[in-house]
Structure formats: C-alpha cells, structure tokens
Amino acid sequence: MAQCKQSAPEFIQNTFSPHVAVLCSKDAEVLCQKNNLTFAQLVQPFCRLGTEVHIKDPNNVSHSIHNLRISTCDMSATPPQQATTKKMLGDAVAGSQLQTGDGGRGAGNMMSVGNYDLQLHASTPWFEAYRECFLDVIALSDHEYLSHCVGCIFVASSGQSDPIATFTSLTNQQLQQQQQFPNKVPRWFCPGILTYYVLLHDVSDGELPRAEAYYQSMKTTFGSQCCHLLQINSRSLQTVENMKPEASLPDPWSQFLPKPPEEGVEYDGLPLQDDASFPSHLSEARLTSTIPDLENSMIETTPDVISDKISSVHSSSLTDLNETNTSNNEMLMDHPLAFHSTETQAQVEESSIAHDGDATAAANGYQDGKSAGSAAGQEKSKLRVHGVCLTTSDMDRLRIFMHEFVVRSLIPWAEKQMRMLNEQLTSRKGIHRSIFSATKKWFGTNKPSGPVQASQNTSVVYTSEAPELQLRRLADLAFLFQMYDYAYHTYHTAKRDFNNDHAWLHFAGALEMASLSIFMLGSQSQRQYPHHYMESAITTYLTTCRNFQYAIRATLVSTEALKCRGMYGEAAMQFLKMTNEVGDSDLSSALFLEQGAHCFINMKTPMVRKYAFHMILAGHRFNKAGQRKHSLRAYSQALQVFKSKYWSLAEDHIHFTIGRQSFNLKQLENASSAFKHLLMAESKQPASQQGAFLREYLFVYKQLLTQEAGENCSYGRLPELPLPNINSNTTKVLLGKQQPQIPENPRKTPATGVWFDHDESRNMSWQKLEERLVISANGGSLPNTFRSTLQCFTNNTENRASPIAFVGEHIVVEVQVEDPLQVTLVLSDVMLLWSFLPSIAGADKPQLISNEVSTGVKNNLADEIIQTTVIKEVVLEGGQTAPIRLTLVPRQPGELRVVGLAYNLGTTSSQSQSSSPLPGDMPSSTASPSILGSQKPTFISSVYVRGKQKLEVQGPRLNASKDDKTSKLYGPDRRLDLTVHEEMPILEVSFCDFPDSLLCGEVHCIEMEVRNTGRSPLHQLKVTSTHPDFFTFGCSQDLPKYPYVYQTRSVDSDISNPIDSCSVRSVPDVIDIPIEGNILRPGDTRSLPMWLRGNDIGGVHEVDFLFYYEPLNTQAKDKDSVRHRVLRHRAVVNTVESLSVRAMVTKPSACVSSSDRQELKSCIISCELENLSQVQVQRPHIQEVQVTQVSCASQDWVVNSLSISDQKDVRIGSRHILQLALKGTKCETDGNLMFSEVFFDMQKQINSVQTPCCDFYFRSPACRQISSSTGDTTLLPIPSYRSAPTQPDFSSLNKAREVKLTLIILWKAFVAQENGQLKILVGQHHVCIERVDTVVTAYPLVQSNQDQPPLKFIRDVEPETEPQPSPEVTTKLVSYSFLHQLDSTHDFNKGLCIVPVTLKLQNHTNTSVDILVDTSKSSDRFGTASSPSPPQFSPGSPTPPVMSCSFSWVGPTLANLTLDPGADQQLQLKAAFCRPGVYNCNNLAVFVTYADADPSEMILQKHSTPSIITLSA
C-alpha cells in the first residue's frame, strides 16, 4: 500500500499546530521582496523547532514539546473563494507526481497475493498534496480554536524614521480588525493574544547602530520578551547580479510556495510507453523541476477542458473520443457509474472548465504540450530565485529568531493563558452550572438526550466568554502544545457539556479531538484508541451538522490513526463512507476511493478484487474531476487484477478507458495498445460495440502513425496490425500457374495441374507415378539425387528444403485470414511483402531488396525484380475465415523470401450493405475488382491504416532424440524461402472433346494438344496414369483419322472368318508421347489423337495423368539444376452401365470315331449378353445395343460361328438377354497372337489387330494378368530382394484345365438424348477365359472383405504342409468316354446279353500319368462333383459293399496303363446285361497318379457325362 512520507502522529501534529499572524509595514515588505518573498514566507522554512522545549500546565506539571511547528499566515492575505479553492485542490492533485527513481518510472512495490503479482505505488503524493491544500483552505469555525491565531508578529523596517509609531499603527490595525471584524480572517484565539515586535534590518543598506537604538527603544516600550532585531539581506543586489548561478544557496522556500499561473506544470502530458510493457505498468508523468520535496509544493496548473476546435479538425471518430454523451459510441460504452441526469452531467462538465492555458486541451488539439506563454513563464521563473540576498548567517538569524519567539514569548504566553482560563473556569463554572441547571430542569426536560435529526433546529449560540467555550479554549491550547493527557480530560468534560446543551457541532469537535488526544498519547495512555468517538464525530458532522469540510478533516486524521494501529478495514469503511456522503466532489471521492482501495490491499488478508473494484471507481471519479492522468493510473492499476482472469467485459471496459485517457494525454502508443486488446477473438461485446472499438483503434493508430512519420521513427517500415487473425502455419505456396480459367474454346479442357484444393492424401500416389517416369527416363534406375516434384507446399508436406521457382513463372501464396470480430473488415491494397537476394556472379556481395519501404522509386525497382499483384479490396464478414491468394512473378534468379502481408485495414461505413463478395472471388490484379454489373463497391472505409502482419511459419516439432522429446524443439520449415532458378520450358496440355460421361466399355476418340509456353525447348515427353487401360495413343503408323474410332477392313465375301496374327506386345506403364522429332520448341503446338475407353464398372472414376518432360539444355554438371518437370491432370469420368457379358468354355467328350483329338482341339464358347440400360423418359438412355463383331485373341485358339447361315443385325433391347454360342478350335502357331473374328455386321468389319481395338485389349487388366503369368515381366513390379522358398511347379497339370483366350465383344449402342435425337456410340468388352467350365464376366468381381480372425498374442504352431495342386485340376487330369451300340435287341431267354464297350482315355496334361481302371468300382460311391476333396482309393484294399447294379462288367476288373502328355488310348471292355432296359455304361472308376504324386495314392477322376444304351427283348 502507498505510504505517506509523514507518520500519523507527525501528520496530526502538523495539522493542529499554533497559528501566528504576521503584519508587516510597507518598508519591511520591500526588504523581504528583495528575496522574492513575503515575511511570512521568509520565516516559513524555519518555523519548526529542532530542539526540545518544555511547558507547564495549569497544575504546574512540566511537559516536553518535540518538533513544535509554528504556522505563520499573512494577516493582509485574502482568503480564497470557493471556486478558487476547488481549483487549488485540483491543481495540487494534478501537479503531484510519483517520486521517480533512476529508471524514470514510478517507484513501486511488488506484491504477490495468490495468483496475482501486483506492482503497487510506494507513495501517493497527490493525496498528500490534496490533504495539505485542503487543510490550508478549510473554512474556520467558531466551535474550535485550533486554527485561530494565538498571536501576531508586527514587522517594521529599521530604515523608517519612527519604527515605534509604525508598530503602534500596526497594533491598532490588528486590534481594529479583531474587535470590529471578528469573523474576518484571520480569527483570533482570545482577546489577549500574544503580540511580538520585530525590527527588520537590511544589513547591506541600513545602519546597524541606528537599528540597535531603535531596538532598545522597542524593548523599553513593549518589553524585552516581545521584541527582536532581525538582520537580513547581508548580500546586496549588485553582488547577486555578479554571482554565478551555481553559487546560489539551496531554495528551502519552494516547497512552501504555490507556483504562479505562468509557471504551471503541464501534468497531462505523459511519456509514451512501449507496447510490450503496456498496460500492466504505466509510468506517471514527472516534473523536471529542481525543487526538493516536490510533493509538498502547491503547483498551479489549469484543469482539463474540451477543445472546441476538435470537431472541425478531426472526423467523427475523434469527436467520439472527446464529446461525452454526444456520440453513439459513448452511448454504447456507457460507464456503469455514469450520470444519466442532464443537470448532474452539466455540473460535471462545469467543474472541468478553466481558462485557455489547459494542457489537456492542447493534447486534444494535437499541439505541443507547452505554449509560447508557458515557455516565457519558464524563462521568467529561472530569474525568480528565492533568498538570493540571504547568506548562511542570515538563515541562522532567522532560525534563532523563531526559536526565541517560541521560547521567550509563545510558551510563556501559553502557560499564562492556560492558568488564567483554568482559574476562570474554576471560579465561574459552579455559578454558571447552578443557574443553567435550574433553568434546564424547568424548561428543558423534553429535550432529547442524544443526537437529533438534521432537520431539527439544534443550533446553540454561546457567547465568547461562555464557560463551555473557555473550556474548549483551554483544551485546544493544551493540545496545540502537546499536553495530550490534560487536553483529553478537558475535551471529555467539554463533550458532556456540549451533549447536554445539544450543541452538536461543538460536541462533534470535542469528540474528534478527544479521540486524537488518546491517539497522540500513544503508549503513555492507559486507554485504547476510542475509534467510536471518531465515528460519532464524523456522523454528527455529516448528518446533523451538514458540515462536510470538517467531516473530511476528521476522516483524514482518523484514517491515519486507524492505519497506524493496523485497522485497515475500518479505515477503508471511513473512506468509502465519505465517498457516499460527499457525492458532489468528484476529486475528493476519487481520492478517498483510491485510499480505500489501498486499505483493502494492505489488510492482513489482502482483498485484491475489492482493491481493483475501488480503483476502477476511483478512476471513474478522477475522470469526472478532469484528472485524466490519475484516471489512467487508477485504471492501469486495476487492470493488473482483471487481466487474463476471464472477466472479459470488465477487462474491455478498463482497456477502453485506458485507451481514451491515453489518447487525451497524447500517449498514442499506449492508446493504440489498449484498443488493440479490445479486438480479441474471445470478445463478448455485441457487434455494434466491437465496431466502435475498431473505429477507435483505427483512428488512434492512424494518429500514432502520423506522429511517428513526422518524427521519422521507422522510415518506410510498415507497422504491425492486430486484425485480421492470420495463422501462418496454414499458409500454402503454389508454384506454377494460377487456377485455370474458362478457356476461350469450350471444347478444350486444359490440364488441371495443381491447385490449393488438391487432395494431399494422394501425394504419395503422384510420387509413385513420378518415380515410374524417372525410372523409365533413366534406363530403369532411380537416381540417388531424385526428389519428387512438389508444387503445393502446405503444413502437411515436407518443407525442409526450399521450394524451387523459375523466372517468369507464378508463385501463388494462399493466406488464411480470419475476422475474429462480429463486424465487417475491409482490407484494401492487399499485397505480399518479400525480400530478395539476387544471384549475381562476381566478388561483390549482392544487396538485399525489399518491397516494404514505401518510396516510389524503390517500389518501381522492386516491381521490376519481383512482379507483385495487388488485390484492391477484400471484405471479411464477422467471424468469417477465407483465403486470400496473392501472386509473385520473379524476373531474376536469386533467393526470395515471403516475409508478410501488407494491407490497408478499415471497416465499413454505417451505410454499407450486409452483402459482400467473398475474398476468394477477388481478382489478383492491380485493377479495381468488378462488382456485379456496373454497380460501384458499397464497402467504403472512412478510416483505415496501412500496416502489415508477418508470416512466420513454425516447423514440425522434433521427436527423434531424447532431448527433442524433453524440450520443445522445432525443425525448419522453408516453404516461404524460395530459390528462383533460370527460365525453364513450360508444358501446357489440353484435351479436345474430353467426355464427362462414358458408357462402360465405350471407346471415344479425342484430340490432345501439347504446347511449350516457355522460352526453352523440351524433349523426352512421357505420360503415365493410374489407369493405363483408360487411354492409348496407338502403336501403328496408319491410325484412324480424328474423330473416327475404329479402323475397318475391306469387305471380302470369300473370307467369312479372317484370322490375323501379331506379336505379343508388352504394354509399359510409361508411354512416350509421339511428337515429331521428339522435341517441342518454344511456342510450338502439337496435336495427336487419343482414344479413351470407359471403365468396365459403372460409377465415377478419377483418372490421374502425369506428364513428364525434360529441358533440352540441362547442364548435367549443375547439381542444383532441375532435370525434369511434370504436369498433373486429373480427369473425372462418370461411366454408365451398358452391356453385361458372361461366358464359359466347355470341351466335348472324347470320341473314338474321331482321330484328330477333337476333345483337345475344340471347345464350345457360351456367351450371355445383357443390355443393362433401362428406358427413361426425358433422360439419356440406351435404346438398344447391336453386337457387330466378336473377336478372339489367343495364341492357341480361333473362334468360329456355329451358325450355318449368316447372322445379321444382332440387337439387344433394354433389359434383354442374348445367348450366343461359338466354337473354338485349337491351332498350331509360331508364338504369335492370333485374332479370329466373327462378324455380325458384314458391311462394317473392324480390324481387331489395329488401333485402338488391339491397344485396349493389351491394356485390359485381364490381358496384363495373362502376360504376367506367361513370363512377360515388363508389367511386373520390381521384384523383392528377399529370397523366397522354391515352390513346386504345377503348370503341367494346370494345362488340363487351361484355355487362355480372350473374347473381344465389339458393339454399337443407340443412345436417345434429351432432345430426342439418337447418338451412336461404339465400344468393346473383354472377356478373358482361362479355364474350362468356369463362368467369367467382362467386369472384375470385387471380393467382399472376409471377417478377420480374432487377434492372438501367441501364434498357433501350424504344421507345415507341402503345397498341392488344386482338386479341381487333379480330378480332371484325364477324360474318358464310352463307345458302344446305342440300342440293341437280344433274347434274354437264351442268356445274358454281352455288349462290347470301348473306353477311350485322353491325357489333357503336359506330363505322363498312370491310370488305373477298376470296373468293380462305381464313381458314384466316392461322392459328387461338388465334393471338396474326393476320397482316394488304394488297389488291394478291402472292397466296400457293392451296390446292386442292373449290369456287370465281365472280364478283367483292373487295367493299368500309362499315357504320355496329350496322348490317348482305348481299352476294350465287356458289359453283361440280364434284362432289357436303358442303362448308363458310365459305371466304373478311373484313378490317376502323376509323376510328382505319391504312387500309393491315386486320384479318382470326375466324369459326369452319361453313356446310354438301350436293350430290348
């Protein structure tokens, strides 16, 4: 808490000290004026005795007096009027400042209370100055004599002709004033006051013998005890003029003298603070005077006024800052204690009006704090030095004079007066009380015994010689001369008398002084401090007597006594009580509220929030009293408590008030910092209030920038702005062109490239595509220096290396801006700030270039180096987050760094509309953006400031080592530090008639156009895709002309089923784009056809294309040079279901009559085609699908039609199914791929071997899978270096089930469009058949995810088993058939019918097999064809029970034979029938074992085809 420089006893002793009047002759005043002082002022520094003196009370008891202070006053001085008194109090408070230390800041004590760390002022000199001034100007009253003059000092000059007559005249003047004008100031203690005569002698001009003669005459006339010869002015004026300024003595009179008006101090001009220290601790203004003990001086300054010029000089925002209760903003941010009454507010405004010399008015007008008049006053004040004619001897004489006056005259007079008063009271008190007691008994019995209400007449008039007043004189005299015990008893006696007489003013005064007497006794008193006495006195002053001045004086002395006793709570309550009662005085209320707050913080348990709350109230009352600096200080002190404690509304009010007061005091930096705190994202203020805050901030900050520009504080550098919020880590950097605009030709679709909205999760997919391209371009190896091309750098990308940009290419930076407020922000002239270090060959170090310095020449030079685009206007709605995209185009190689964002911050005017264009829609150009139609923008910012925000990106947190984990270390992020290289070729790709929708399997021809827009040639143009089966450029010279799709062959009637052959092609994932010369010069454009095929599965498909090219003039020696560039394109195609194709191959049974192995060389192909489209009204749909051709691509098989006659016009309606059967014939080839075709449209025969039919066949997933299985490793992934265990080869066995042919279904679809017209589309489906008796489809089957087994922490030990071939293969290794008579007639009466049966066995594998034919066994007993693993039978095992059969095999029951690969053999059998009927001869078992199998285990072969014979009798 703030401590006073005087202790409580010292303060009370100085407050109640003996007063002595001074009356000087004119000649004596002239002598004193040589020192620029009056006589009363001359002796003032020497009025405190430095030695101990003694005095006796009426009981002849001696008492010691310590540090007795005499108060002198000029008898001829005029008391100040009420208005002057108020001004003096205000000036005293305004002119007092904190004591400054070495650092220039107010001294403070750090105090930690709970979670609060407070810096409190060590002292409150303004309160002490107010207290001292108040006690000096308080009006005198007749109920006490403490401030009445006990004597008068008459001063005459020795230079007069008759000093005795002068003294006589002065004495008569005093007597006349005392007798005729008793109420005139000064008041006199009693009729017989002390008179003291001083003869003033000028040593430099006067004659000392003459003065001594006059002095002897004085002693004879007035007595030796009442006279004194005082010699002064030992130094003449001529000597003073020749003296050096350093030779003058110290000025002890300054602290007692009020400053004249011309020396007023401009106390509202505070020094600026740094933003970092604001507003926790605010420095108070300090005076640069050399006067010691400044806190006690009376500095006269002018109070605050409102400048009338302000409305014409500044805009409405400035008016809001100064015109109270006239602006909308002030109504919005009304103080909770603000008056709402017009009359009261008028009083407040009237109290703050003074003359034109106000420093605050100068602050409002933005003028210098000191005018020319004040400067002249300062020059004058330098010449007015006090005591210039006095030497050290003269000061010693003054000190001796005051000591003799007290010891020889004043103390004896006081002893005499006390004895006389005591004797009078003793003799008269008995008679007086007996008379008055009888009167009261008869006439005064109904008077109340206690204090009465203020409305009742309680005034009691005492005569000057009344015993009660004589008793009060005695008590006051004892108190003035430090006889506190005697004074207490006297006050206590007088208190009872005044209470009985209902003289409440006298009663309150007696209570007050009785309480103080006990306190001043201190440890000598046996009584406790009667706190209730003082409470009763203050209450009586306030309620009964309505005497506020004495109530304030009682509060001032009482609170000091309470604080000295540690009773801070009671002291705080007294301060607050006076605040409530004395409500019309804002200054005193503010001071009392502040002192009460200090009491709360100094309690045993500090009450921090009460301290802050009352400091806020004090700041408000200071503001109303015109004390802006003290208001600012109080609010700043309270902010320490409310700051960051989630009391947002209270904190906003404090910041707002600090901003206002700082602005009025010309602390523009502090004001802008305070208003900046109001613009926070967590603000709970309404939108209108936030708008007012923003306008205040913009106006104040603009004034600050204007001031700094005038002072050249930061030449050319932009200040940092608080709005909008920018998260630097969300900044994105895009290298390359901007987002593609709508092309002039609507048929052309440019390559999408990379934009800010690309899917970052697919970056790894793009990287793999790029690796594939680089490997292809470098002969199958990936260079060690390879680094994937990254065009968009975000917070999720690897940014350890600097991005590489190129001269002449765009660099687009996306900055996410957020408006945290609920009001609209207008950003204009938005641009990027950068610094550039050019790459210049030579010994000289290049100079760093920046575009932040706002000079025209440098801006033009910077724009020539880095072309910077400017967005004219960006409008952010309240709470909106939007991206701002800005572009840089470097013109020179070097190192470019994006350092920040520059813009003009403003807000919309009150007439602005609510609708606004989005920031992303603003064009990045230097021209004004076009708003809808020809309307002009409605967002007009009346006040704006130019500033910047830095873009500082924080890298990822390091987490590799232990130190990284324990400390917060972050890696580098260089996305904003770019390296600019020389120009490179730029590839542009566009597609003509690129479809948005395709039918499944539809083949569409488009035209691709490639163009080099750079300034250097390129070559090695390649492309790869995530869907290689989606497109092809053709692989032959004779290509169909755009826009035709297929190549047709000439119609030849002699060849109904042509067969063409071609070599098996390896389809790489990387395709070289065929351009002439393989080089694309700058500005050259090439066009080439491109065929697309819709995906076999319907839906939306994303196809990624990555184009690769290299600059032609790449220097291999340059390690930092870019070897290649890539261009991305993503196509989104919607495929619609068209045709469903299902097919299955079956082989015929072996036939004995055929000798060419028909069962091995022929097969039946069954196809089922379904039109999946459904007719829809007024929507595009497929009416019908026409199958034009079926081609077969295989190395072993050709396809033929089973129909004898030509089938034409094979069409499938909506939701219809077509069954198609074809015959496959195996033929011998030289390893080439054969294409056999079956035409259903003889007029238009498509050549399947040519582009694009065969290209899509080779690119189909089924063909690529077959190629992989046949040993073509072109499409296989790079093998792993880990060695895998050798697996057994079952390919020779699998040959029994393999077919390996692909059907290419060529079709034509008739599509009805929305306008009713028909559109013919063509396409092809691929059905890859690998095995017989297996249904396959044209589209891949998506396997459903199987349920995962439960997680086991301990892995089960599974027995290792050798891999076995599939049961589906092993049960059909050998096929067999029966040859016998289909029907026969036999006479069963003659016996059994023996029928010869030939069993033909055919080996379908490429390995030798051993066969066992057992006629005693039936295959039905070993399960059906659906059995997962047929039972195995060992010959010689016990025969299972034989089922009843209608016939039996006769002859040998077992037959063993061996068949070579692809060989067949016949076995002759006989069947015996006992009755007629229909029999199935397929009633035997065929077991097979192969070379690698266990010979003891033979596999039963499946053969479900019956062999029927009919026997009749």
Side-chain angles (χ1 to χ4, degrees), residues 486-748:
Y486 185 85
Y488 168 73
H489 290 89
T490 309
Y491 283 129
H492 195 270
T493 303
K495 171 180 72 70
R496 291 197 301 266
D497 294 342
F498 293 140
N499 186 29
N500 294 333
D501 295 341
H502 294 174
W504 303 123
L505 184 60
H506 299 76
F507 171 73
L511 280 176
E512 176 186 4
M513 298 311 298
S515 176
L516 292 180
S517 298
I518 295 297
F519 174 76
M520 294 300 292
L521 283 173
S523 59
Q524 302 177 2
S525 175
Q526 300 294 332
R527 305 176 185 87
Q528 293 183 354
Y529 173 64
H531 169 55
H532 59 285
Y533 277 15
M534 192 63 74
E535 285 287 346
S536 299
I538 295 174
T539 304
T540 304
Y541 278 138
L542 289 174
T543 60
T544 305
C545 305
R546 307 299 295 175
N547 194 324
F548 298 112
Q549 285 190 339
Y550 281 88
I552 293 175
R553 189 193 70 176
T555 301
L556 293 176
V557 295
S558 173
T559 51
E560 289 297 322
L562 291 173
K563 290 187 288 184
C564 183
R565 296 296 177 94
M567 304 170 66
Y568 292 101
E570 291 80 358
M573 291 301 103
Q574 284 192 359
F575 278 126
L576 300 183
K577 181 179 181 180
M578 290 306 302
T579 303
N580 297 330
E581 295 295 338
V582 190
D584 59 338
S585 177
D586 292 318
L587 182 59
S588 60
S589 297
L591 293 169
F592 291 156
L593 284 169
E594 182 183 19
Q595 292 301 311
H598 284 292
C599 291
F600 284 125
I601 201 64
N602 203 46
M603 295 177 67
K604 186 176 182 180
T605 302
M607 307 176 75
V608 181
R609 288 193 291 271
K610 275 196 173 184
Y611 162 78
F613 177 71
H614 288 88
M615 287 299 289
I616 292 294
L617 298 179
H620 174 65
R621 299 301 287 268
F622 272 129
N623 185 33
K624 292 177 61 179
Q627 301 287 339
R628 290 172 177 162
K629 62 169 185 178
H630 291 295
S631 175
L632 175 62
R633 175 188 48 76
Y635 274 99
S636 301
Q637 287 292 319
L639 182 60
Q640 299 178 94
V641 177
F642 287 99
K643 189 176 182 180
S644 301
K645 294 298 185 296
Y646 304 103
W647 290 26
S648 59
L649 296 180
E651 190 175 354
D652 288 349
H653 167 73
I654 297 174
H655 281 303
F656 181 80
T657 308
I658 288 177
R660 282 285 185 89
Q661 299 300 338
S662 299
F663 175 79
N664 290 331
L665 296 174
K666 294 196 301 184
Q667 298 187 52
L668 299 181
E669 189 170 355
N670 283 349
S672 62
S673 300
F675 285 124
K676 182 189 296 185
H677 284 83
L678 299 172
L679 309 177
M680 306 301 290
E682 57 272 11
S683 176
K684 297 182 180 179
Q685 299 288 350
S688 57
Q689 188 62 63
Q690 291 182 2
F693 288 161
L694 180 57
R695 288 189 292 271
E696 299 272 5
Y697 170 76
L698 292 177
F699 176 78
V700 173
Y701 201 59
K702 190 171 184 179
Q703 296 295 326
L704 175 62
L705 296 180
T706 304
Q707 174 180 318
E708 291 181 349
E711 297 173 357
N712 293 326
C713 294
S714 57
Y715 175 73
R717 296 294 176 181
L718 294 176
E720 293 194 31
L721 299 176
L723 291 175
N725 290 348
I726 296 180
N727 186 1
S728 298
N729 275 11
T730 60
T731 303
K732 299 180 181 180
V733 178
L734 179 67
L735 305 179
K737 277 196 170 182
Q738 300 187 18
Q739 187 178 17
Q741 304 295 330
I742 299 177
E744 298 179 358
N745 188 355
R747 296 178 56 191
K748 288 188 177 182

Side-chain angles (χ1 to χ4, degrees), residues 342-361:
T342 306
E343 179 181 359
T344 309
Q345 181 64 25
Q347 296 175 0
V348 173
E349 294 178 355
E350 182 181 358
S351 65
S352 62
I353 296 178
H355 56 79
D356 295 337
D358 182 25
T360 307

Side-chain angles (χ1 to χ4, degrees), residues 1044-1161:
Y1044 296 102
V1045 179
Y1046 289 111
Q1047 295 190 55
T1048 59
R1049 63 171 74 240
S1050 61
V1051 179
D1052 191 351
S1053 59
D1054 296 335
I1055 303 177
S1056 59
N1057 296 99
I1059 298 176
D1060 297 324
S1061 64
C1062 67
S1063 60
V1064 178
R1065 302 175 188 171
S1066 61
V1067 181
D1069 290 340
V1070 176
I1071 303 175
D1072 292 331
I1073 299 178
I1075 58 175
E1076 183 180 355
N1078 200 24
I1079 297 177
L1080 198 60
R1081 301 290 177 182
D1084 288 353
T1085 302
R1086 297 289 186 269
S1087 298
L1088 63 156
M1090 181 180 182
W1091 288 269
L1092 309 177
R1093 181 180 176 271
N1095 199 291
D1096 292 321
I1097 301 177
V1100 178
H1101 301 275
E1102 294 181 350
V1103 183
D1104 294 338
F1105 295 89
L1106 188 63
F1107 294 89
Y1108 172 96
Y1109 59 99
E1110 297 179 1
L1112 187 62
N1113 53 356
T1114 303
Q1115 298 180 1
K1117 296 182 180 180
D1118 190 0
K1119 297 181 179 180
D1120 297 332
S1121 63
V1122 178
R1123 306 298 180 85
H1124 71 275
R1125 304 193 72 181
V1126 294
L1127 173 64
R1128 297 181 186 180
H1129 175 64
R1130 169 166 294 178
V1132 180
V1133 181
N1134 180 26
T1135 56
V1136 182
E1137 292 181 340
S1138 58
L1139 189 65
S1140 173
V1141 181
R1142 292 180 295 274
M1144 183 179 67
V1145 173
T1146 58
K1147 288 187 176 181
S1149 301
C1151 181
V1152 179
S1153 61
S1154 60
S1155 61
D1156 55 353
R1157 301 179 182 179
Q1158 181 181 0
E1159 63 275 11
L1160 295 178
K1161 298 182 180 180

